[in-house]
Every structure is written in structure tokens, then in C-alpha cells.
Amino acid sequence: MNAEHRWLEAYPELGSGPISTEPYISPDWYAKEKEKIFRKVWLCVGRANELPKAGDYKVKRLEAADTSVIVMRGKDGQIRAFHNACAHRGNTVVTEHGQETYGRSKAAVVTCRFHGWVYGADGALKSVPSEDRFYACFDKQKNGLAPIHLESWEGFLFVNVAEQPENSLAEFLGDYAEHFRGFPFDELDYGFTYRTELECNWKVAHDAFAEAYHVDTIHAGSFPNVFSTGLQNVKLMGPHRTCAVCLTLDAKPTPVAGVANRIAGASLVSLRGESMLPPLINPDRRSDFAFELSVIFPNTLLHISEGIWFTHQFWPIAHNRTLWEGRYYVKAPQTNAQRWAIEHAMTLQRNAWLEDTATMEDTQRAMQSRAKSIQHLQDDEILIRHGAIVVEQFVNA
Amino acid sequence: MTNQPNLPPAFADLAPFLDWALPTADERQQRRLAATSEGLRAFYDAVLPRLEDILSALDEYPLGALPEELRPLYGIALSLAEVAPHIELYGGAVGVPYAFEEGRFIAVHGGQPTWQGLQPMGFQ
Ligand code: FES
Ligand SMILES: [Fe+2]
């Protein structure tokens, strides 16, 4: 076996040819992705512990599915999802402040600001001001919020806007669910969120984060001397994918990083034990294991490591415009010094993400020039190859 | 200016750096971006030797209950976390080299007073 081509040998069905750039620049292709992917599959929109109390809600815009979703916890403890659209004249019920809006209603209701219609957390229309001025054909029972399918896995909330989803969330996740089962996501719940709108296709953003080939060049500043030994344990699971990223972490930490690492191992570039990793993650317990890099199709990257996990999400807004959200989670600090150490780790991570996002808009512009119509992938860029092939399968299904 | 920030007597030597005593991540980032390379280095060189002492002094109090007189000191320590990569890794550059525009990156927690130890994500 050729060690340089081991992923091709493991997954020969993916082939080794060049990948077309057309799906990254074509508005028509994007229209098909909306219809065949984003309006059809399960999409991760948050975590249950973002809505700790009855009446807590979160509104998330899903431009690629042409809607905005209200996710709300009812007095019965159940979390449900609805289109954020009023049954009266179609206003958004919860006024949004940008891409993500959190709110809290003691009474577990949401009220449309336009004319004051009130909906319960179960979606039922509860009150209509001047109700008697509507006509006999208007039935209050039939004018609740339009529901959206919602299911959860390990505390992650997924919605599916299809009238009738083709599969359950468990079927959709398949082996992926087993691979990550048991990681203490809920105990590491202190989450930092960064977001920006990128002038690039969502797959350009996905691809830039789905390989470790760029670490030596792009992160020469923030993560120097973490010599990449490449990917290990690549596993393709239906439309989803995962691998281990291994880095040599024996460089002496810088002075401030040294203090921070001692107080809270909250940075990706510090050696940590492996007490919380599920058995399927880094199964050989390699000492150079840094983190698991995985993709929940279509738009969520999930990474886990000892004491840390983080996600990237790519929400398409247009064929060449994407909302990127990066969230980084650690255990909530107990002391002022721990909070300080976490701030240091977060600053370093933000800087690394600033390095990661630096190439994306340039890539998009260059692809749009059509100077090159294909891209070439090496063996360790297999997650990108798999992603491109899965997207094509869905679009042409 | 109502309350001129001040430092406990044991840390009076850091008084020249009180303009780094900023409560929020956004303000500390702005301050760093507005600095010069020399300014970053002077701040780093002055605060690093005091870092362990500062953190011990802060840990006399529980997270979220830092008395007002210690908050400027915490702000200075947090500014060191913001500045350190620029001295230790980026050769004194005030921005992250070869990076995306920082001004377009939104930190959801960016406006929170860090000493309060709130959930940074935006929900309470
Ligand atoms: S549009 Fe919502 S109450 Fe009129
Ligand atoms: Fe990266």
C-alpha cells in the first residue's frame, strides 16, 4: 500500500480526479442546493441548554431554507420549532435583531408586534385583539404558528423544514451519532460565539476548515512549530465525515501561554489528557492527537478535544455570500484566574480563525474569474473531496 | 469621567498603564489595534512580571464578585491576554498578520464586562 495515498485506498469510490469549481460560483447550482439540501435535511440550530427555562426562545434565520425559525421551550419542558411568520398578515412574530435573537417570556408566549396576536409555546393562537371583527371563515384553531420538525441528539437541536422529512434525525446521523456519543458537551457549556458574513460560497468556507494541510502556512503566526503529522482515522459515514488531526505539541509554550495553560488547559495548543474522549475518538490513543475534526452534513463542523469543543457553521445567504459562526466551548470558569486563562485561549483561537477566514474571499474572487475551472486535492484533503461528492449526489438526486 | 480608575498600592507601579484597564473584550481589542508596536511591548514588559501576583490578588475574591477597586487590575491582566500573542508570536505587529479584517468579526460577548463571568454566548 502507498502510504501517501492511503485514504484513496481506503475509499476508492471517491476517486482521485480534479473537482469542478462550478458548484462554488454558479447561482443555478445554489438554487438547487437550497431545494435539494437545505430545505430537505436536518440542520443544527443550537443547543437545548441555550433555552434553560420554560418560555426561553431563540430565533434563527435560515436564508438557505427561505425562513426564520422560532425555537422555544414550553411550560411542559418540550422544545418545539415554528416558522417565524404570523398567521394574520405574515409579519415576523418575533422581531429579529440580526441572525440570532434570544428572548424570554415568563408566560411562554410570543406576541406579534404588528397587531398583537399572541401564540403559545405549543404554537397555538391564543389571543386575537378585536377577534369579533374577523369573519365566520376565520378559525382561530387553524391559525397557529406553522410547525417545523425538531429533534435533538446529545443536546444539539436540529430542525428540518421539509413538510415530511425523508428520515428521522437518528437515521440521518447514522454512525456519526455513535462516534461522538458520550462526550460531555453539556459540562463544557461556556461558549464564545464569533460571527461574520463572508463574501464566498458556503463550500469555500467549509473546505478551508476541513483539512490540516494549511496549518504550517496559514497558522505559522498563531500556532508555530506544531508540525502537522496529518490526518488519522478518517471515517466517512453516509453524508457525514470525521478524522483526527494530529499535531506535534512539544514546542515550549510562550510565557503568557505557559501561565494560561497551567491555570486552565483551555487552548488547543496545550497537551492534555484523554479522560473525556469517547472510545471511538483517537482509538489508538496517539500522543500527538490534537482534536477530532468532523462534519455533520451539510453545514456544521464539530471538533472535540480534551476539555474543549467547537463548531463552525456555514449558513448560505447567496451563492457567493455566507454567514460564518464559530463557537468555542470550555468548562465554565470557577475563579478569576481561570476566566483570565480562558480569555487568553479564546483570543488565540479568534486570531487563528482570523487567519483561517483570510483566504476565503480571495478564493471566491479567483474562482469567479473562471481562470481555473477545476481544483486539485491531495490525499489528506479527502474530507473536501467527500463533501463535494455528497453535495453533487444530493443536487442530482 | 466620574470614577478615575485606580490600582491597589501593591500594584501602583502599573499606573502608567491604566489606559489598558478596560472592562470589555471589544474595548481591549480596540485599544490594542490603536496602539503602536512600542506601546504593546512596553505594556507587555511591564505587566508580564506581575502577572502571577495579579492573578493571586484577584483570586482572593470569587468570580463575579470582584470589588470595584480591583476591576482595573483585572482589566490590565485581560489586556495582557489580548496583547501577548502580538509580542510572543507576531513580532510586535498590532494586528494579526495575514488575517481577515478584525472589524468585521463580531464577538457576541464583546460588550460584556468580563469580571462578571457571564455566559459569553448571548443568552443568560
Ligand atoms: S401581522 Fe401579526 S398580528 Fe398582524
Ligand atoms: Fe485553520
Side-chain angles (χ1 to χ4, degrees):
Chain A
M1 138 167 172
N2 179 346
E4 271 68 50
H5 299 159
R6 60 186 168 146
W7 306 127
L8 172 61
E9 287 175 28
Y11 297 104
E13 66 276 16
L14 298 189
S16 56
I19 300 287
S20 168
T21 56
E22 199 58 25
Y24 297 78
I25 59 177
S26 154
D28 292 345
W29 183 276
Y30 174 60
K32 284 187 210 151
E33 286 178 342
K34 285 176 70 176
E35 181 199 333
K36 300 283 195 70
I37 298 173
F38 290 93
R39 298 192 56 86
K40 272 210 157 125
V41 307
W42 293 95
L43 303 169
C44 178
V45 293
R47 290 194 51 79
N49 61 11
E50 292 172 35
L51 312 170
K53 297 206 197 84
D56 289 352
Y57 60 84
K58 169 179 186 171
V59 179
K60 179 125 194 113
R61 280 191 193 153
L62 302 178
E63 261 108 347
D66 290 316
T67 194
S68 133
V69 51
I70 305 173
V71 182
M72 187 167 186
R73 191 185 289 276
K75 286 186 166 159
D76 57 358
Q78 273 293 106
I79 298 177
R80 297 177 183 82
F82 305 96
H83 290 279
N84 187 15
C86 185
H88 176 219
R89 271 175 35 220
N91 188 34
T92 54
V93 178
V94 178
T95 307
E96 293 160 285
H97 313 289
Q99 293 286 342
E100 210 164 43
T101 305
Y102 289 97
R104 176 162 282 176
S105 154
K106 265 214 172 92
V109 295
V110 286
T111 307
C112 181
R113 210 167 58 150
F114 204 169
H115 314 89
W117 285 28
V118 179
Y119 301 89
D122 58 355
L125 177 56
K126 294 185 96 136
S127 137
V128 174
S130 308
E131 191 179 341
D132 50 6
R133 307 222 46 189
F134 285 86
Y135 304 108
C137 61
F138 171 69
D139 182 348
K140 210 164 138 198
Q141 307 297 325
K142 290 190 180 138
N143 282 284
L145 295 173
I148 293 177
H149 299 273
L150 178 140
E151 290 188 30
S152 67
W153 164 74
E154 295 281 302
F156 291 91
L157 304 171
F158 288 77
V159 296
N160 188 318
V161 304
E163 198 82 36
Q164 202 43 60
E166 282 169 9
N167 47 24
S168 67
L169 177 62
E171 285 161 355
F172 175 70
L173 291 175
D175 291 343
Y176 185 96
E178 201 50 49
H179 193 82
F180 287 89
R181 188 184 309 284
F183 185 77
F185 294 106
D186 260 345
E187 282 166 41
L188 310 173
D189 67 345
Y190 201 69
F192 292 81
T193 304
Y194 287 90
R195 62 166 57 93
T196 194
E197 281 185 26
L198 298 163
E199 304 289 326
C200 72
N201 183 269
W202 66 282
K203 300 186 295 301
V204 166
H206 161 280
D207 293 3
F209 283 113
E211 42 89 356
Y213 186 28
H214 72 267
V215 173
D216 288 341
T217 43
I218 284 290
H219 300 308
S222 292
F223 297 151
N225 313 317
V226 292
F227 302 108
S228 172
T229 46
L231 305 188
Q232 302 294 333
N233 307 115
V234 171
K235 207 157 127 188
L236 308 180
M237 298 162 286
H240 319 294
R241 56 203 85 109
T242 196
C243 67
V245 171
C246 293
L247 302 168
T248 308
L249 300 172
D250 55 7
K252 190 172 160 352
T254 56
V256 173
V259 176
N261 291 348
R262 203 161 1 93
I263 298 169
S267 164
L268 269 186
V269 274
S270 66
L271 273 174
R272 295 172 305 277
E274 292 192 338
S275 60
M276 60 176 68
L277 298 177
L280 293 175
I281 307 290
N282 189 22
D284 312 323
R285 292 300 183 247
R286 290 175 62 106
S287 60
D288 58 353
F289 171 83
F291 55 88
E292 185 85 356
L293 187 180
S294 78
V295 184
I296 304 177
F297 180 76
N299 67 331
T300 300
L301 262 67
L302 168 64
H303 306 67
I304 70 171
S305 188
E306 185 74 12
I308 302 168
W309 62 282
F310 59 99
T311 61
H312 292 292
Q313 290 194 293
F314 315 108
W315 298 103
I317 297 171
H319 72 284
N320 56 3
R321 202 173 166 86
T322 298
L323 166 70
W324 164 83
E325 293 173 320
R327 298 176 209 267
Y328 187 84
Y329 297 83
V330 295
K331 199 172 170 53
Q334 304 297 314
T335 66
N336 291 304
Q338 283 175 7
R339 179 63 188 81
W340 173 85
I342 290 171
E343 186 78 5
H344 176 264
M346 190 58 253
T347 300
L348 215 49
Q349 191 63 36
R350 176 203 65 200
N351 294 353
W353 288 349
L354 284 165
E355 292 167 347
D356 283 314
T357 43
T359 63
M360 297 174 184
E361 296 184 348
D362 294 344
T363 301
Q364 186 69 29
R365 265 194 303 274
M367 279 186 174
Q368 285 179 176
S369 77
R370 290 197 149 84
K372 302 282 184 188
S373 59
I374 53 171
Q375 45 178 334
H376 299 279
L377 301 175
Q378 56 117 310
D379 204 49
D380 259 1
E381 294 177 295
I382 183 173
L383 300 197
I384 299 172
R385 181 180 298 281
H386 180 241
I389 289 170
V390 171
V391 165
E392 197 179 319
Q393 282 166 352
F394 272 79
V395 163
N396 293 325
Chain B
M1 270 266 165
T2 44
N3 274 338
Q4 188 63 32
N6 231 320
L7 292 168
F11 299 97
D13 56 309
L14 298 177
F17 302 99
L18 270 169
D19 57 332
W20 286 95
L22 300 164
T24 71
D26 281 350
E27 290 169 282
R28 294 187 293 269
Q29 182 183 24
Q30 287 312 318
R31 177 72 184 81
R32 188 251 302 158
L33 285 167
T36 61
S37 225
E38 298 71 43
L40 291 184
R41 189 164 292 280
F43 173 74
Y44 177 88
D45 289 343
V47 182
L48 177 61
R50 311 303 313 280
L51 178 61
E52 305 263 16
D53 289 344
I54 295 175
L55 295 176
S56 317
L58 297 168
D59 270 350
E60 309 255 314
Y61 298 88
L63 180 61
L66 206 57
E68 212 172 322
E69 41 313 349
L70 281 177
R71 289 179 207 161
L73 190 62
Y74 200 31
I76 286 177
L78 289 160
S79 281
L80 182 64
E82 175 70 39
V83 164
H86 295 264
I87 299 300
E88 297 180 343
L89 300 168
Y90 314 143
V94 298
V96 180
Y98 307 108
F100 188 74
E101 290 165 63
E102 281 192 54
R104 288 172 58 194
F105 239 50
I106 309 298
V108 169
H109 64 284
Q112 290 176 348
T114 309
W115 69 269
Q116 291 178 359
L118 302 173
Q119 164 65 253
M121 246 183 84
F123 65 94
Q124 303 89 329

